[in-house]
Amino acid sequence: MTPRSARVVVAGASMAGLRAAEQLRAAGWTGAITLVGDEPHMPYNRPPLSKEVLAGKAAFTSLSFRPRASVADVQWRLGTKAVAARLARNTVELDDGETLSYDGLVVATGMRPRRLSCPGPLVGRHTVRTIDDAQSLRQALTRPAVRVVVVGGGFIGCEVAATAVALGARQVTVVDPLPLPMAGPLGELLAGALLKRHEERGVRFALDAGVTGFTGDDHVTGVALGDGTVLPADVVVESVGSVANTEWLDGNGLDLSDGVLTDEHLRVGGRPEVVAVGDVARFPNARYDGVPRRVEHWCIPTDTAKHAAKTLVAHLTGSTAGLPPFAPLPTFWSDQHDFRLQSFGAPALGKEDVRVLEGVLDGDVVVGYHTGGRLTGVVALGGQAAAVAASRYRAELLKQPAPTA
């Protein structure tokens, strides 16, 4: 039974925080819930920021999630940031000076873009994480004949490059220290096919290259590379990874080396009253090797929220019902130009054994990633037919038993 005065504080009011509140109610929590978020906006969908919304195909106002009726009584503290926590005292301190006490705490503070520390002007340099970021970048990209340099050839970098080409940029160049774009998550075989498709659609690449600085006085005019090359740029997009928003948890003896380390039930630091959700959570996945990892895929906020809510409510209500270890099947997609990347499972764990399962690399293709001969992930590249083909392997991945030690 929920104590009448009990409260759960959810630190972080993006998708992960919203899903956590909804899943707390679904798990039977009837006590108070307070969501704290540093952005002034209600939770919204982030993936379209680098694609449909940036391209002007969808309105910024279309991004907001519609909360379930079950969370109509939740207290929202938007535009307010959690700046410190005292887990031993069950309190969270806010940047407006208020201290919130809690019976349960959900860590959902997510990530922020990593920024380059190279010398040069700041004006003209953009990131893509928030609505405000995307609005500023769209305004810059829609100026006539802009030259765009995207630093970082990962998911966001490749999506922004494709969008910039579609918007009519005069020149779009992607800079990356690796020899192929998205080689980290995809491996060399599929990354090579991806590179070819981008180049065929007008994107240039400066690979095996590092950025040493930015030219210009008040506004960026170029990107200087390690070999002395200077790429002309009116707009620079920094897509060089993310930093976990965990500073507010310092001083509590937690492992914050890469997000927030949790156990197999998303509990933090051995404290049953504290759980973590979303891409800030570094959790072991019983479906694979049990090594704790963060996963920055769109499905993870919902998947982690479902499990963490059950974990937390069971503790707060004194339930003895056991839960199986958290074992999600990661899923991601990425729309670039006129094709899509669609993935199920954990391809990054099987990059040493990559095989074409269906199709051909120059057309619609499905690639399988294997560990010890066991299929651990699939990625489709191409049109709708490739995505449908990849989905057929989802059932096979779900049926596979966890590897034995």
Side-chain angles (χ1 to χ4, degrees), residues 214-240:
F214 299 95
T215 62
D217 296 323
D218 298 328
H219 191 287
V220 168
T221 60
V223 178
L225 306 183
D227 63 0
T229 301
V230 177
L231 300 174
D234 307 298
V235 179
V236 174
V237 182
E238 297 177 33
S239 180
V240 291

Side-chain angles (χ1 to χ4, degrees), residues 101-133:
S101 60
Y102 63 81
D103 297 275
L105 174 65
V106 180
V107 177
T109 40
M111 314 296 290
R112 64 182 182 274
R114 188 182 301 278
R115 301 303 301 262
L116 294 169
S117 57
C118 306
L122 294 175
V123 178
R125 294 163 56 182
H126 300 261
T127 60
V128 184
R129 177 68 182 181
T130 68
I131 283 180
D132 295 340
D133 292 338

Side-chain angles (χ1 to χ4, degrees), residues 287-288 373-377 395-403:
R287 187 175 298 279
Y288 302 110
R374 173 177 177 260
L375 184 68
T376 57
E396 179 182 341
L397 291 166
L398 285 170
K399 290 177 182 177
Q400 289 182 347

Side-chain angles (χ1 to χ4, degrees), residues 20 68 90 102 179-180 202 232 236 242 245 247 307 331 333 336 364:
R68 295 181 181 178
N90 286 34
Y102 63 81
L180 291 167
V236 174
S242 303
N245 294 317
E247 295 85 353
H307 196 96
T331 302
W333 76 92
Q336 302 173 24
D364 285 357

Side-chain angles (χ1 to χ4, degrees), residues 196-216:
K196 181 179 178 181
R197 296 185 190 217
H198 273 281
E199 289 179 329
E200 290 172 345
R201 290 158 176 80
V203 180
R204 303 181 183 185
F205 286 84
L207 300 169
D208 282 319
V211 174
T212 59
F214 299 95
T215 62

Side-chain angles (χ1 to χ4, degrees), residues 2-4 6-8 25 28-33 73:
T2 303
R4 182 171 299 178
R7 173 165 61 176
V8 172
R25 291 289 187 238
W29 179 254
T30 59
I33 300 175
D73 61 345

Side-chain angles (χ1 to χ4, degrees), residues 58-371:
F60 285 95
T61 54
S62 70
L63 298 181
S64 296
F65 292 114
R66 178 175 295 179
R68 295 181 181 178
S70 61
V71 295
D73 61 345
V74 163
Q75 180 187 21
W76 294 88
R77 299 292 302 273
L78 299 177
T80 305
K81 185 177 181 180
V83 295
R86 301 289 179 264
L87 301 188
R89 301 177 186 175
N90 286 34
T91 60
V92 173
E93 298 172 19
L94 309 182
D95 61 358
D96 63 3
E98 185 176 356
T99 297
L100 300 178
S101 60
Y102 63 81
D103 297 275
L105 174 65
V106 180
V107 177
T109 40
M111 314 296 290
R112 64 182 182 274
R114 188 182 301 278
R115 301 303 301 262
L116 294 169
S117 57
C118 306
L122 294 175
V123 178
R125 294 163 56 182
H126 300 261
T127 60
V128 184
R129 177 68 182 181
T130 68
I131 283 180
D132 295 340
D133 292 338
Q135 287 176 326
S136 175
L137 179 56
R138 174 164 170 76
Q139 184 176 19
L141 290 178
T142 50
R143 296 200 305 266
V146 293
R147 299 163 298 180
V148 182
V149 173
V150 180
V151 184
F155 287 101
I156 301 298
C158 286
E159 290 172 358
V160 170
T163 302
V165 167
L167 286 172
R170 180 179 11 157
Q171 182 176 306
V172 180
T173 305
V174 175
V175 179
D176 198 275
L178 296 177
L180 291 167
M182 293 187 65
L186 299 181
E188 293 183 5
L189 181 69
L190 205 54
L194 183 72
L195 171 64
K196 181 179 178 181
R197 296 185 190 217
H198 273 281
E199 289 179 329
E200 290 172 345
R201 290 158 176 80
V203 180
R204 303 181 183 185
F205 286 84
L207 300 169
D208 282 319
V211 174
T212 59
F214 299 95
T215 62
D217 296 323
D218 298 328
H219 191 287
V220 168
T221 60
V223 178
L225 306 183
D227 63 0
T229 301
V230 177
L231 300 174
D234 307 298
V235 179
V236 174
V237 182
E238 297 177 33
S239 180
V240 291
S242 303
V243 179
N245 294 317
T246 58
E247 295 85 353
W248 65 284
L249 291 167
D250 286 345
N252 289 286
L254 304 178
D255 183 341
L256 305 176
S257 56
D258 180 20
V260 180
L261 178 65
T262 78
D263 67 8
E264 70 277 11
H265 292 297
L266 301 172
R267 294 173 294 215
V268 175
R271 294 181 173 275
E273 76 280 6
V274 183
V275 294
V277 299
D279 48 14
V280 76
R282 177 162 50 102
F283 57 87
N285 189 334
R287 187 175 298 279
Y288 302 110
D289 54 12
V291 175
R293 297 181 179 90
R294 288 191 312 99
V295 181
E296 296 186 41
H297 296 338
W298 188 84
C299 63
I300 289 299
T302 299
D303 290 345
T304 52
K306 286 180 179 178
H307 196 96
K310 293 176 182 177
T311 297
L312 187 56
V313 171
H315 166 70
L316 294 175
T317 60
S319 171
T320 58
L323 288 174
F326 186 49
L329 183 72
T331 302
F332 73 76
W333 76 92
S334 177
D335 293 320
Q336 302 173 24
H337 301 288
D338 55 352
F339 56 83
R340 167 172 283 199
L341 282 161
Q342 175 73 65
S343 172
F344 299 97
L349 300 183
K351 289 189 296 182
E352 299 304 314
D353 183 359
V354 182
R355 313 170 198 172
V356 174
L357 302 178
E358 298 186 28
V360 293
L361 287 172
D362 288 338
D364 285 357
V365 65
V366 180
V367 175
Y369 298 76
H370 304 77
T371 303

